[in-house]
Amino acid sequence: QDKYAQGFGLGSVNPDLASERQTASFSVERLTTVLDGGAEHTRVRRAVGTYLQGLETTAVFDTTTQEFILNTPKISAMKWWPGDMGRSATHTVVFAQLYVHGKCYGVHPFIVQIRSLRDHSLCPGITAGDIGPKMNFEHIDNGYLMLQNVRIPRENMLNKFCEVQPDGTYVRRGSQKINYFTMTTLRVSLLSDEVILPLMKACTIAIRYSAVRRQSKLNPGEEEAKILDYQTQQEKLLPQLAAAYAFHFINNYLHKLFDRGYKEIQERNFSSLPELHASSSGFKAMLSQYCTAGVEICLRACGGHGYSLLSGLPSLYTKILASCIYEGENTILLLQTARFLIKCFAAASAGQPVPQSVTYLAAVKPGKCPAKNKLDFLNPDIYVEAYQHTAIRLLSSTAAKLQDLIQSGVKKHEAWNQCTVQLVQAAKAHCHYITVKNFVETVEKLENKAGIQKIMKHLCDLYALHGIFSNAGLFLHDGYISGAQMDMITASYLDLLGVIRKDAVPLVDAFDFTDKSLNSALGSYDGNVYQRLYEWAQKSPTNQQISPAYEKYLRPLLHNKLSKL
Amino acid sequence: QDKYAQGFGLGSVNPDLASERQTASFSVERLTTVLDGGAEHTRVRRAVGTYLQGLETTAVFDTTTQEFILNTPKISAMKWWPGDMGRSATHTVVFAQLYVHGKCYGVHPFIVQIRSLRDHSLCPGITAGDIGPKMNFEHIDNGYLMLQNVRIPRENMLNKFCEVQPDGTYVRRGSQKINYFTMTTLRVSLLSDEVILPLMKACTIAIRYSAVRRQSKLNPGEEEAKILDYQTQQEKLLPQLAAAYAFHFINNYLHKLFDRGYKEIQERNFSSLPELHASSSGFKAMLSQYCTAGVEICLRACGGHGYSLLSGLPSLYTKILASCIYEGENTILLLQTARFLIKCFAAASAGQPVPQSVTYLAAVKPGKCPAKNKLDFLNPDIYVEAYQHTAIRLLSSTAAKLQDLIQSGVKKHEAWNQCTVQLVQAAKAHCHYITVKNFVETVEKLENKAGIQKIMKHLCDLYALHGIFSNAGLFLHDGYISGAQMDMITASYLDLLGVIRKDAVPLVDAFDFTDKSLNSALGSYDGNVYQRLYEWAQKSPTNQQISPAYEKYLRPLLHNKLSKL
């Protein structure tokens, strides 16, 4: 049995992986520098409270006692999910509808003590507990909370931007929309750690494994081929890799946008709030959806081993999936973005000024894509223009449908509902366009790093062309791209897979994850996949003893039968 | 706190759900009959052994002892995954390369004892154990296995279709391809329980929940709307519902095909094997991929509650995901189908006879879709023709690319590899076409059940038009469908969502799942979602005691701080 421990001794790098690194066309160290050069990202903390305009919990101000009285009106209005609240937290921030003298002032945040500081028992009027098992996050006690006539002092309302004075006078400082800013900021701050990093990790695991795993012969007489040499495997993994880079760069873009916006708000200028809200909503939705799908693709691309927890991929998936839901459900978020875009489109069409990220909506629409051959589609001007054209077309045609419905007598809200499938499409197309454009601009700025710039240009091209190939209908619809041009795009796209495949391993090495953080038998730096899988499996508690089912069921069964023989 | 137990008393049906059932346009009981009328399905058992042409385990026949000697040559050739083998099984069926007198006869199955019948210890030469934790299937001890000079008697080779005689003479009875038949049959037999039922369950849970859950106002002044009344929610769930019905019917079709084929094989007629292999491969891949995505859509459509294990959806997802991998990885399966289609296309083009399911490949290709308005797209002839046209176009253009590459000097295997992304597309388009056509034919046969036929026709239309809407590029590419026609399709598709929405709850009721089998706080028949969620969460072990972390960490922390005050 010793011979199985030979072959790949742990510590030495699998020769298949080593050769991938030797033939790389660029310096991993230099690329790592580019990746680290982004904005600093804060660690995400889960917000207490959920995002709901129709929130039902009330906080009624009682002028006689100078207290707010909080109530959850019914079971379906319970707080559900806030992290650390199920068993641990002593205090929470509760969002509730503020009422003063019978008038509702909308949703405000209040500090509420829920557990005794002496013995951790629940405070009077508080019903709280753990919501039970989830798909992941076993380590967090997400909780439920109901409040019955819970009284808190007036000072417990968070009052940076508004206040209830002792006599009940309501004073607002700044915009009413500032309540959204917490969520808006949170949505951007979670992208890096909760959304993009998991995709980068999944790519690292799946690409390293695919350079080690061999299956079937590509050509008769040769040895079995690395699965990364199959076009279908490249088509699964390399677009995810390109997307991980694209999203890393759009994340930098969003952080710059927010740093600027935050400074303005500090100076009591709230004018950038709508753009920040629309951007954070759209990109949170687009990135979390894409990255979740990407992680799943990576998992499945590893076959059965991807499904083993030892691959590290299942837990990446069950965790990132939550990002599609928390801090705003993605469809609702995209419709927020769409509402902003529809307004800006109307303004731009009327020649009014609009935020910088949507000035393109006023651009003249060219009739046809001018590309003549497949190489033309490696020209960023060509594909950025195609994305821009499609984003404008989707938005303008949906705006027209909306207007037609309203003019034909359909109520405004009902008309909006009838356009939502297409509005979501338009919002996605906008975010996709901005992401491609930002990738192109990022690559242009790498001009003093030629080797890195070259491979980043390939990734940018791949990201852009994969997006057109995968959403062909949107580009073909009005003939902006012809069927013949789509064939050129397909050809260029498939060519790029072969080009990037050569550098695939170093491109994930550049993400610079430690083996410990990957926690994957398939994805470690040294590529000793099978040895590690076997060693880790042997350590499973299920292998430390004979199955208890043997003594209880199998032994009696087998021995009775034997005795009859 | 008692008031939270009121509202929805368990036992009575939520009024929102009850009204959904009252206004249904058809009889659930009659529909249930249609669903039960399918072929009888056997329970799936996981096969022991994996499907791999390049299998490395060897079984060498030793004429002197009349034994086979089995060996696993290296660690990467270990058996990994067979169910019940990690700790329980005493015997396995091992697939190995058969060698007699130094000649290889390919993969054959052998019965091998791996554990002692006396004390369950591993037999000499056997290394076996549990592969450790997986994404689901915690109840199954999937195992690993290595063999070192393990000797088994000659009789242990399964010899229905071939045999090694005492002197080493190898005798084959029937086709060499019969080895594939086990897997071929298995792939079809698993579809119902492992692939289609989970999607039906997920639809039931998500649609019932969406008829109970209310959020935001659709029109100002009204009460909050059921989320099922939002177009975007309909667009998520109703195509999954239509697909569940489509797949139920294609499953019946496949069982009929297999029953016929199996009878022929019993009579030693192996001519249907290629068609059976191609069909089982393609449909297993298409259905498992679609249903996995569908279950995920249902999970996400329930928001945060879908992510709770109490919804029943996470375990449906983590289980169905495995179906994309086991019994043949989906991409490899689709390429098997594509290989069959390419051969049939060549034969059909040359006027030679081809199996019945692919005779359409010889059909004359019409130039343009003749539809003039959105109602034309509710005509099955129109959309079946569009699917057929697209399937032929994808196959013929890929066949042409393949031929061009080979004629330009690219090696045959390399040329095939360069076409695989498009071959996979072509194989999917074929299966999609057959599924739509079969749905149409099933609906036609319901002529004596008018109410059922009407709603089934709507579902069939929805399935077909959703498929075109979601794959618009494939239909627009050569102008068979124009941009204007795609707008008509979109309009008809969105109209259908509103039509089917009315019957959505009864359409899932007809699947006739017991609450116990759904095991979902969101999806029970009575719709008492919030009461059940709250009751189940309270039962969580985490709520049966104060958190152990309190005594250990929180109490010392809080009390130290308090004493300093």
Side-chain angles (χ1 to χ4, degrees):
Chain A
Q1 194 181 323
D2 264 355
K3 73 174 198 181
Y4 299 111
Q6 296 165 9
F8 310 130
L10 290 187
S12 67
V13 174
N14 173 297
D16 280 342
L17 263 191
S19 74
E20 300 282 338
R21 287 164 182 140
Q22 278 153 14
T23 57
S25 69
F26 64 93
S27 145
V28 170
E29 287 66 32
R30 294 205 71 184
L31 177 52
T32 306
T33 319
V34 173
L35 286 165
D36 285 341
E40 293 218 352
H41 310 146
T42 47
R43 289 253 147 212
V44 176
R45 294 202 196 160
R46 198 79 49 247
V48 177
T50 48
Y51 171 74
L52 259 183
Q53 290 191 311
L55 211 69
E56 292 171 303
T57 301
T58 54
V60 178
F61 186 59
D62 180 351
T63 43
T64 58
T65 62
Q66 294 290 302
E67 289 172 319
F68 294 105
I69 311 165
L70 280 86
N71 272 291
T72 310
K74 58 187 183 191
I75 205 168
S76 55
M78 284 170 79
K79 306 287 178 189
W80 202 272
W81 282 104
D84 308 320
M85 196 184 71
R87 316 178 77 189
S88 311
T90 54
H91 292 72
T92 65
V93 173
V94 171
F95 280 86
Q97 302 284 0
L98 169 67
Y99 284 86
V100 185
H101 299 319
K103 183 179 168 191
C104 181
Y105 289 90
V107 174
H108 289 72
F110 302 85
I111 296 173
V112 180
Q113 179 173 355
I114 59 170
R115 286 189 177 90
S116 156
L117 298 184
R118 298 248 155 247
D119 63 2
H120 215 54
S121 62
L122 291 171
C123 294
I126 300 290
T127 304
D130 188 295
I131 63 164
K134 298 137 285 179
M135 205 168 177
N136 197 315
F137 299 96
E138 299 87 354
H139 53 295
I140 296 180
D141 54 320
N142 298 89
Y144 58 79
L145 175 68
M146 290 185 286
L147 305 129
Q148 274 186 293
N149 293 321
V150 173
R151 290 180 167 263
I152 55 169
R154 187 179 66 90
E155 292 73 19
N156 279 22
M157 184 170 119
L158 299 182
N159 69 349
K160 181 163 184 182
F161 293 102
C162 50
E163 188 184 1
V164 176
Q165 293 178 336
D167 65 349
T169 307
Y170 180 85
V171 180
R172 166 164 291 135
R173 291 185 283 271
S175 164
Q176 195 173 358
K177 288 184 173 164
I178 196 66
N179 271 335
Y180 294 106
F181 194 62
T182 314
M183 280 310 233
T184 297
T185 313
L186 191 61
R187 274 181 207 126
V188 169
S189 68
L190 65 82
L191 288 179
S192 173
D193 283 3
E194 309 287 312
V195 175
I196 303 169
L197 275 191
L199 179 62
M200 288 175 164
K201 284 185 180 178
C203 286
T204 304
I205 295 167
I207 287 175
R208 285 181 181 164
Y209 174 64
S210 300
V212 170
R213 163 83 172 180
R214 292 171 174 273
Q215 189 169 328
S216 304
K217 294 176 185 186
L218 204 45
N219 292 304
E222 293 179 356
E223 73 173 319
E224 286 192 284
K226 293 177 179 187
I227 57 175
L228 194 52
D229 287 323
Y230 290 96
Q231 190 187 53
T232 46
Q233 188 76 354
Q234 291 167 10
E235 209 240 345
K236 286 175 194 173
L237 299 180
L238 303 186
Q240 311 318 317
L241 177 65
Y245 277 91
F247 297 161
H248 177 80
F249 297 132
I250 199 72
N251 184 49
N252 292 348
Y253 161 91
L254 287 168
H255 274 87
K256 273 178 212 144
L257 194 72
F258 268 73
D259 289 345
R260 200 168 58 227
Y262 192 68
K263 275 195 203 107
E264 290 173 10
I265 288 167
Q266 297 285 45
E267 294 155 7
R268 305 269 156 190
N269 169 3
F270 298 94
S271 64
S272 63
L273 270 179
E275 187 186 12
L276 294 179
H277 176 61
S279 301
S280 72
S281 300
F283 284 103
K284 184 273 186 183
M286 172 183 148
L287 267 63
S288 62
Q289 186 145 337
Y290 191 97
C291 291
T292 299
V295 169
E296 203 213 74
I297 290 170
C298 291
L299 186 156
R300 283 165 52 175
C302 295
H305 289 335
Y307 190 77
S308 162
L309 295 198
L310 307 184
S311 73
L313 292 164
S315 60
L316 284 175
Y317 176 80
T318 53
K319 185 157 180 268
I320 196 175
L321 177 62
S323 72
C324 296
I325 301 165
Y326 62 56
E327 319 311 353
E329 194 277 332
N330 281 350
T331 303
I332 295 171
L333 291 184
L334 286 165
L335 288 172
Q336 298 279 316
T337 308
R339 199 176 284 278
F340 169 79
L341 291 173
I342 288 281
K343 277 183 197 165
C344 293
F345 179 69
S349 305
Q352 292 159 9
V354 291
Q356 193 265 329
S357 64
V358 288
T359 47
Y360 78 94
L361 293 175
V364 184
K365 295 146 219 166
K368 303 274 173 195
C369 172
K372 299 262 181 292
N373 57 57
K374 71 176 182 176
L375 294 180
D376 285 348
F377 283 103
L378 302 179
N379 175 352
D381 292 344
I382 295 282
Y383 57 68
V384 168
E385 191 82 10
Y387 274 95
Q388 187 190 91
H389 173 84
T390 301
I392 296 176
R393 179 183 68 75
L394 286 168
L395 192 65
S396 63
S397 68
T398 312
K401 177 179 168 184
L402 192 60
Q403 205 168 12
D404 286 353
L405 282 169
I406 292 169
Q407 281 177 353
S408 74
V410 179
K411 277 189 219 156
K412 212 168 161 184
H413 282 75
E414 181 51 35
W416 177 264
N417 189 31
Q418 287 181 29
C419 292
T420 45
V421 166
Q422 286 145 308
L423 286 164
V424 165
Q425 270 190 336
K428 280 185 191 165
H430 164 76
C431 294
H432 208 157
Y433 158 61
I434 301 286
T435 307
V436 169
K437 185 161 153 278
N438 181 66
F439 202 159
V440 169
E441 288 164 2
T442 305
V443 171
E444 281 167 3
K445 285 181 205 140
L446 293 170
E447 55 198 334
N448 59 343
K449 297 177 180 172
I452 301 297
Q453 188 181 42
K454 192 176 170 198
I455 182 70
M456 285 296 118
K457 166 75 166 56
H458 290 320
L459 281 176
C460 181
D461 293 346
L462 180 66
Y463 179 73
L465 298 190
H466 173 256
I468 300 178
F469 176 76
S470 311
N471 300 283
L474 301 182
F475 294 86
L476 289 165
H477 188 282
D478 64 345
Y480 181 79
I481 299 273
S482 70
Q485 284 173 323
M486 194 56 74
D487 289 338
M488 298 170 199
I489 289 167
T490 306
S492 267
Y493 162 58
L494 295 175
D495 288 348
L496 278 167
L497 294 178
V499 171
I500 291 165
R501 183 261 168 271
K502 294 192 186 74
D503 291 321
V505 169
L507 279 168
V508 296
D509 286 351
F511 294 146
D512 217 14
F513 291 112
T514 61
D515 283 355
K516 198 175 171 186
S517 78
L518 289 174
N519 195 21
S520 166
L522 305 189
S524 291
Y525 185 83
D526 65 14
N528 292 325
V529 171
Y530 297 101
Q531 183 63 29
R532 197 171 267 109
L533 255 184
Y534 181 40
E535 285 189 5
W536 289 14
Q538 284 172 293
K539 286 181 197 159
S540 167
T542 46
N543 285 322
Q544 306 313 312
Q545 50 165 56
I546 281 194
S547 165
Y550 174 69
E551 280 300 326
K552 207 165 169 188
Y553 302 108
L554 289 175
R555 193 166 172 276
L557 181 77
L558 293 168
H559 284 216
N560 283 348
K561 282 213 174 153
L562 284 174
S563 64
K564 281 182 203 153
L565 289 175
Chain B
Q1 193 180 323
D2 264 355
K3 74 176 198 181
Y4 299 112
Q6 295 165 11
F8 310 130
L10 290 186
S12 67
V13 173
N14 173 298
D16 280 342
L17 263 190
S19 74
E20 300 282 337
R21 287 166 182 139
Q22 279 154 14
T23 56
S25 70
F26 63 93
S27 145
V28 171
E29 288 67 31
R30 295 204 70 184
L31 177 52
T32 307
T33 320
V34 173
L35 286 165
D36 286 342
E40 294 218 351
H41 310 147
T42 48
R43 288 253 147 214
V44 176
R45 296 202 196 157
R46 198 79 48 246
V48 177
T50 50
Y51 171 76
L52 258 183
Q53 290 191 312
L55 211 67
E56 293 169 302
T57 302
T58 54
V60 178
F61 186 58
D62 180 349
T63 44
T64 58
T65 62
Q66 294 290 301
E67 290 172 318
F68 295 104
I69 312 164
L70 281 86
N71 272 290
T72 310
K74 57 184 184 195
I75 205 167
S76 56
M78 285 170 77
K79 307 288 179 187
W80 202 273
W81 281 105
D84 307 321
M85 197 184 70
R87 317 178 77 189
S88 312
T90 56
H91 293 72
T92 65
V93 174
V94 170
F95 280 84
Q97 303 284 0
L98 170 66
Y99 283 86
V100 186
H101 298 319
K103 183 179 168 190
C104 181
Y105 289 92
V107 174
H108 290 71
F110 302 86
I111 297 173
V112 180
Q113 181 174 354
I114 59 170
R115 286 189 177 89
S116 156
L117 298 183
R118 298 248 156 248
D119 64 2
H120 215 55
S121 63
L122 292 171
C123 293
I126 300 291
T127 304
D130 189 296
I131 64 165
K134 300 137 284 179
M135 204 167 176
N136 196 315
F137 300 96
E138 299 87 352
H139 54 295
I140 296 179
D141 53 320
N142 299 88
Y144 59 80
L145 175 69
M146 290 185 285
L147 306 128
Q148 273 186 293
N149 294 319
V150 174
R151 290 179 165 264
I152 56 168
R154 187 179 66 90
E155 293 73 18
N156 279 23
M157 184 170 118
L158 300 181
N159 68 351
K160 182 162 185 183
F161 293 101
C162 50
E163 189 185 0
V164 176
Q165 292 179 337
D167 65 350
T169 307
Y170 179 85
V171 180
R172 167 167 290 137
R173 292 185 282 270
S175 164
Q176 193 174 359
K177 290 188 174 162
I178 196 66
N179 271 336
Y180 294 105
F181 195 64
T182 314
M183 280 308 232
T184 298
T185 314
L186 191 60
R187 275 181 206 126
V188 169
S189 68
L190 66 81
L191 288 180
S192 173
D193 283 3
E194 309 288 311
V195 176
I196 304 169
L197 275 191
L199 180 61
M200 288 174 164
K201 283 185 180 176
C203 286
T204 304
I205 295 167
I207 287 176
R208 285 180 181 165
Y209 174 64
S210 299
V212 169
R213 162 82 173 179
R214 292 171 176 273
Q215 189 169 328
S216 304
K217 295 176 185 186
L218 204 44
N219 292 304
E222 293 179 356
E223 72 174 317
E224 285 193 284
K226 294 177 178 187
I227 58 174
L228 195 52
D229 287 323
Y230 289 96
Q231 190 187 52
T232 47
Q233 187 77 352
Q234 293 167 9
E235 209 240 345
K236 286 175 195 173
L237 298 180
L238 303 185
Q240 311 316 318
L241 177 65
Y245 276 91
F247 297 161
H248 177 79
F249 297 131
I250 200 71
N251 184 50
N252 292 348
Y253 161 91
L254 288 168
H255 274 87
K256 272 178 211 144
L257 193 73
F258 267 73
D259 290 346
R260 201 167 59 228
Y262 192 67
K263 276 195 200 103
E264 290 173 10
I265 287 167
Q266 297 286 43
E267 295 155 7
R268 306 267 156 191
N269 169 3
F270 298 94
S271 63
S272 63
L273 270 180
E275 188 186 11
L276 294 179
H277 176 61
S279 302
S280 72
S281 299
F283 284 104
K284 183 272 187 185
M286 172 183 148
L287 266 64
S288 61
Q289 185 145 339
Y290 191 97
C291 291
T292 299
V295 169
E296 202 213 74
I297 290 170
C298 291
L299 186 156
R300 282 164 53 174
C302 295
H305 289 335
Y307 191 77
S308 163
L309 295 197
L310 307 183
S311 73
L313 291 164
S315 60
L316 284 174
Y317 176 81
T318 53
K319 184 155 181 269
I320 196 175
L321 177 63
S323 72
C324 296
I325 300 164
Y326 62 56
E327 318 312 352
E329 194 276 331
N330 282 350
T331 303
I332 294 170
L333 291 183
L334 287 165
L335 289 173
Q336 299 280 317
T337 308
R339 199 175 284 278
F340 169 78
L341 291 173
I342 288 282
K343 278 184 197 163
C344 293
F345 179 69
S349 305
Q352 292 160 8
V354 291
Q356 193 265 327
S357 64
V358 287
T359 47
Y360 78 93
L361 293 176
V364 183
K365 295 146 220 167
K368 302 277 173 195
C369 172
K372 299 264 182 293
N373 57 57
K374 70 175 182 177
L375 293 179
D376 285 347
F377 282 104
L378 303 180
N379 175 353
D381 292 344
I382 295 283
Y383 58 68
V384 168
E385 192 82 9
Y387 273 95
Q388 188 189 90
H389 173 84
T390 302
I392 297 176
R393 180 182 67 75
L394 285 168
L395 193 64
S396 62
S397 68
T398 312
K401 176 178 169 184
L402 193 58
Q403 207 168 10
D404 287 354
L405 282 169
I406 292 169
Q407 282 178 352
S408 76
V410 179
K411 278 191 219 155
K412 212 168 160 184
H413 282 74
E414 182 49 36
W416 177 265
N417 189 30
Q418 287 181 28
C419 292
T420 45
V421 166
Q422 285 145 310
L423 285 164
V424 164
Q425 270 191 336
K428 281 186 192 165
H430 165 76
C431 295
H432 208 157
Y433 159 62
I434 301 287
T435 307
V436 168
K437 186 161 153 275
N438 181 66
F439 202 160
V440 168
E441 288 165 1
T442 305
V443 172
E444 281 167 4
K445 284 181 205 139
L446 292 170
E447 55 198 335
N448 59 345
K449 296 176 181 172
I452 300 298
Q453 189 181 42
K454 191 174 169 199
I455 183 71
M456 284 297 118
K457 165 77 165 57
H458 290 321
L459 282 176
C460 180
D461 294 346
L462 180 66
Y463 179 73
L465 298 190
H466 172 256
I468 300 177
F469 176 76
S470 312
N471 300 283
L474 300 182
F475 294 87
L476 290 166
H477 187 281
D478 64 345
Y480 181 79
I481 300 273
S482 69
Q485 284 173 322
M486 194 57 74
D487 289 339
M488 298 169 198
I489 289 167
T490 305
S492 267
Y493 163 57
L494 295 176
D495 288 349
L496 278 167
L497 293 178
V499 171
I500 291 165
R501 183 262 167 271
K502 295 190 186 74
D503 291 321
V505 168
L507 279 168
V508 297
D509 285 352
F511 294 146
D512 218 12
F513 291 112
T514 62
D515 283 354
K516 199 174 170 185
S517 78
L518 289 174
N519 195 23
S520 167
L522 305 188
S524 290
Y525 186 82
D526 65 14
N528 292 325
V529 169
Y530 297 101
Q531 183 63 28
R532 198 172 268 108
L533 255 184
Y534 181 40
E535 286 190 4
W536 289 13
Q538 284 173 294
K539 285 180 196 160
S540 166
T542 44
N543 285 321
Q544 307 313 310
Q545 51 166 56
I546 281 195
S547 165
Y550 174 68
E551 281 299 327
K552 209 165 168 189
Y553 302 108
L554 289 175
R555 194 165 171 277
L557 181 77
L558 293 168
H559 285 215
N560 283 348
K561 281 216 174 149
L562 284 175
S563 64
K564 280 184 203 154
L565 290 175

